[in-house]
Amino acid sequence: MREALRLAKKAKAAGEVPIGAVVVLGGKVIGRGYNLRTKLQMATQHAEVRAIDRACKKIKSWRLEGAEMYVTLEPCPMCMGAILNARIEKVYFGAYEAKGRSLTNELASANLVNHTVEVQGGVMEKECAEVLTSFFQEMRTREKSKNISP
């Protein structure tokens, strides 16, 4: 999770929503990613999808059976779909989505693609949440200062 957090901070420095993800297989990181939606102007450029893409390229297979993912924020439904399709075995996430992604566990166990995923939330939750909270506080402060008339 520390590596995912490092990647989230890299996203934050780039002005992206600070989410980082890593895919681990056999104790080794095989894929890393962080959000690049804004920079690339592509809706699918979430940390999880980018980490999965890199992991698949690394092992030359779309099947990441036995792999684990560590991500700083509870995955969205799109990312859970990618996780399921890639056959990732376990997902550990840090911060819970404030808007309540109650679908995460439902999607993980729904047998949508003949695969289920074990999910555990709250891993380094405080640290992961802090990066997100500070990003949005700083963003609101910047927006307010733009709107102040001289």
Side-chain angles (χ1 to χ4, degrees), residues 34-107:
Y34 59 90
N35 275 7
L36 281 176
R37 254 186 347 178
T38 302
K39 179 180 179 182
L40 299 177
Q41 289 298 296
M42 295 180 69
T44 59
Q45 294 304 295
H46 288 205
E48 299 94 325
V49 172
R50 295 179 58 79
I52 289 169
D53 286 350
R54 285 177 170 78
C56 290
K57 286 177 186 170
K58 175 103 175 177
I59 68 165
K60 296 177 175 58
S61 176
W62 63 270
R63 292 176 187 261
L64 300 175
E65 292 169 337
E68 300 175 338
M69 175 177 279
Y70 295 82
V71 60
T72 56
L73 180 66
E74 185 175 0
C76 73
M78 176 186 73
C79 291
M80 278 306 299
I83 289 163
L84 283 162
N85 277 303
R87 308 299 196 259
I88 291 174
E89 187 175 318
K90 296 178 184 176
V91 173
Y92 301 95
F93 68 85
Y96 287 85
E97 169 56 53
K99 294 178 182 165
R101 291 223 175 101
S102 60
L103 285 178
T104 301
N105 285 323
E106 290 176 40
L107 289 171

Side-chain angles (χ1 to χ4, degrees), residues 126-140:
K126 183 179 176 187
E127 297 92 331
C128 293
E130 173 55 35
V131 174
L132 286 157
T133 301
S134 65
F135 172 80
F136 287 111
Q137 285 173 342
E138 291 165 15
M139 186 176 77
R140 284 190 290 276

